[in-house]
C-alpha cells in the first residue's frame, strides 16, 4: 500500500479559480483601469524589485561574516567576527601580531573551516572546506611569500596548474596574449617582457605578477597579505596603485598591513582586530593613525567618542 502524495491529499478544487457566478456582472472589457489601483500595483512591483536593484548596485556586500569563530583546541583564535566586505572597495584588516588576521583570511580562503557562525557570499550561506571551494567562488589570496616559481617566466607563473592545451600541446600563444592583456589592464608597464624569469623581477613587479594571476583567474575578491612588506618607496607606490586599479575594476579587496600610512592611502574601510575579536570596523574617515593604534592595543579609543556607529548585521563590536 502506498502513501498518498500531497497532491492526492488536496481537494479536487485546490489550486483552481472559483467558477464565476452567473448572477454577478462580469468585467467590462472596455473599462479603463483605475489610476489609483494601477499606481498601487506599480509601487508594489517596484518594492518587490528593490532588493535585487540594491544588490546590483553593490549595497549587498559580496562577502559577509556573521558570528564567525575559530578554535584550535583550547585556544580561541577568533570570536564572534561580524564583517562585511563590499564590492569595489578596499577593506584594510589591521591588528597587532597574534590578533587573528592570518586565521581570519585563511578561514575566508578555505584553508580552515570556521567552528561557529556562517559565511555568506552574495547573501547566500556557503561552507568553504578547501581553497578550491573559495577559488570556485572567486576568492583569490596573495600571501606574503607570493608562491611564485623563480625559475619560470611570468606567463608560466600566471598559468601554472591551469595551462590551456590545443591539439595536445600547450597553447603558448593564447597564454602569452592573455598575460600581456591582464598586465596591461592593471597598468603594469615596468615589466620588460612576459617571458622574463620571475626570479629576475623586483619585489613590486613580483607582487604585480601575483595579483595579475589572481585577476586572470577572474577573482571577485582579492586578499593581499602584507603586500608592501620589505618593499622600497618606489615599489610600494607600484603596489598601492595596483590595489587602486583592482578597486576601480569593481573587485573587492582585503588588505592586511602593519603600515598605517599604506592603509590610509588606499583603504575605504578599516577593520581592527584585537585578541581574536573585531573591536571596530567602519569607513576610513572615522579613523586616524592614533585611534587605530589605540584600538589595536587597548580595544578602545577616546578619539572615536561621538562618532555614530555604522549599521551592521548584529555586531556589537562596531564603532
Amino acid at each position: 500500500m502506498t502513501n498518498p502524495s500531497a497532491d492526492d491529499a488536496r481537494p479536487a478544487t485546490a489550486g483552481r479559480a472559483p467558477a464565476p457566478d452567473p448572477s454577478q456582472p462580469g468585467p467590462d472589457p472596455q473599462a479603463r483601469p483605475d489610476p489609483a489601483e494601477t499606481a498601487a500595483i506599480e509601487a508594489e512591483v517596484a518594492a518587490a524589485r528593490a532588493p535585487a536593484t540594491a544588490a546590483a548596485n553593490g549595497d549587498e556586500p559580496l562577502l559577509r561574516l556573521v558570528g564567525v569563530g575559530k578554535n584550535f583546541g583550547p585556544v580561541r583564535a577568533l570570536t564572534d567576527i561580524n564583517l562585511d566586505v563590499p564590492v569595489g572597495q578596499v577593506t584594510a584588516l589591521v591588528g597587532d601580531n597574534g590578533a587573528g588576521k592570518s586565521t581570519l583570511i585563511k578561514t575566508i580562503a578555505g584553508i580552515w573551516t570556521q567552528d561557529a557562525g556562517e559565511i555568506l557570499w552574495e547573501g547566500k550561506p556557503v561552507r568553504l572546506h578547501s581553497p578550491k571551494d573559495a577559488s570556485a567562488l572567486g576568492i583569490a589570496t596573495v600571501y606574503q611569500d607570493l608562491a611564485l616559481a623563480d625559475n619560470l617566466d611570468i606567463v608560466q607563473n600566471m598559468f601554472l596548474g591551469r595551462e590551456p592545451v590545443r591539439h595536445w600541446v600547450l597553447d603558448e600563444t593564447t597564454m602569452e596574449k592573455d598575460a600581456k592583456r591582464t598586465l596591461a589592464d592593471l597598468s603594469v608597464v615596468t615589466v620588460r617582457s612576459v617571458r622574463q624569469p620571475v626570479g629576475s623581477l623586483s619585489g613590486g613587479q613580483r607582487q604585480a605578477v601575483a595579483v595579475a594571476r589572481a585577476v586572470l583567474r577572474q577573482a571577485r575578491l582579492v586578499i593581499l597579505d602584507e603586500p608592501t612588506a620589505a618593499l622600497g618607496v618606489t615599489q610600494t607606490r607600484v603596489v598601492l596603485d595596483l590595489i587602486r586599479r583592482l578597486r576601480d575594476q569593481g573587485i573587492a579587496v582585503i588588505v592586511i598591513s602593519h603600515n598605517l600610512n599604506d592603509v590610509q592611502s588606499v583603504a575605504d574601510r578599516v577593520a581592527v582586530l584585537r585578541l581574536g575579536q573585531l573591536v571596530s570596523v567602519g569607513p576610513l574617515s572615522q579613523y586616524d593613525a592614533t585611534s587605530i593604534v589605540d584600538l589595536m592595543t587597548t580595544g578602545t579609543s577616546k578619539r572615536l567618542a561621538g562618532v555614530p556607529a555604522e549599521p551592521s548585521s548584529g555586531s556589537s563590536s562596531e564603532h
Side-chain angles (χ1 to χ4, degrees), residues 23 102-103 116 122 143 148 155 183 194 198 206 222 251 266 281 284:
S23 63
S102 295
T103 302
E122 294 185 315
Y143 295 99
L148 296 174
V155 175
L183 290 171
V194 292
V198 164
R206 290 167 61 87
V222 175
I251 297 174
V266 299
V281 58
L284 177 66

Side-chain angles (χ1 to χ4, degrees), residues 25-206:
D28 183 1
Q30 300 298 326
R32 294 183 179 180
D34 183 2
E37 184 179 352
T38 302
I41 293 174
E42 290 177 352
E44 192 173 329
V45 172
R49 291 178 177 173
T53 304
N57 291 335
D59 294 338
E60 178 74 29
L62 179 66
L63 175 72
R64 170 170 286 174
L65 308 181
V66 182
V68 169
K70 180 63 184 176
N71 302 326
F72 295 98
V75 178
R76 183 171 294 180
L78 297 175
T79 304
D80 194 27
I81 302 295
N82 295 276
L83 177 65
D84 289 352
V85 179
V87 174
Q89 293 190 28
V90 178
T91 302
L93 189 63
V94 297
D96 204 353
N97 291 334
K101 303 185 302 296
S102 295
T103 302
L104 182 57
I105 66 167
K106 287 180 179 179
T107 302
I108 297 173
I111 295 177
W112 292 323
T113 303
Q114 76 271 19
D115 297 316
E118 62 180 353
I119 298 175
L120 305 178
W121 182 260
E122 294 185 315
K124 299 178 181 178
V126 294
R127 194 76 173 174
L128 305 176
H129 298 283
S130 69
K132 186 176 180 180
D133 293 340
S135 179
L137 291 177
I139 300 173
T141 305
V142 180
Y143 295 99
Q144 196 168 349
D145 61 6
L146 302 181
L148 296 174
D150 289 345
N151 60 317
L152 301 180
D153 62 33
I154 294 174
V155 175
Q156 292 169 328
N157 268 279
M158 289 178 65
F159 284 90
L160 190 61
R162 52 188 297 273
E163 298 87 348
V165 176
R166 186 176 183 183
H167 303 307
W168 304 99
V169 179
L170 289 180
D171 192 350
E172 298 282 355
T173 302
T174 298
M175 288 193 296
E176 188 168 324
K177 186 186 302 182
D178 289 348
K180 288 180 179 179
R181 175 181 51 78
T182 304
L183 290 171
D185 289 345
L186 295 173
S187 298
V188 180
V189 295
T190 59
V191 174
R192 184 177 69 252
S193 168
V194 292
R195 288 300 180 182
Q196 184 177 352
V198 164
S200 66
L201 300 178
S202 67
Q205 291 171 328
R206 290 167 61 87

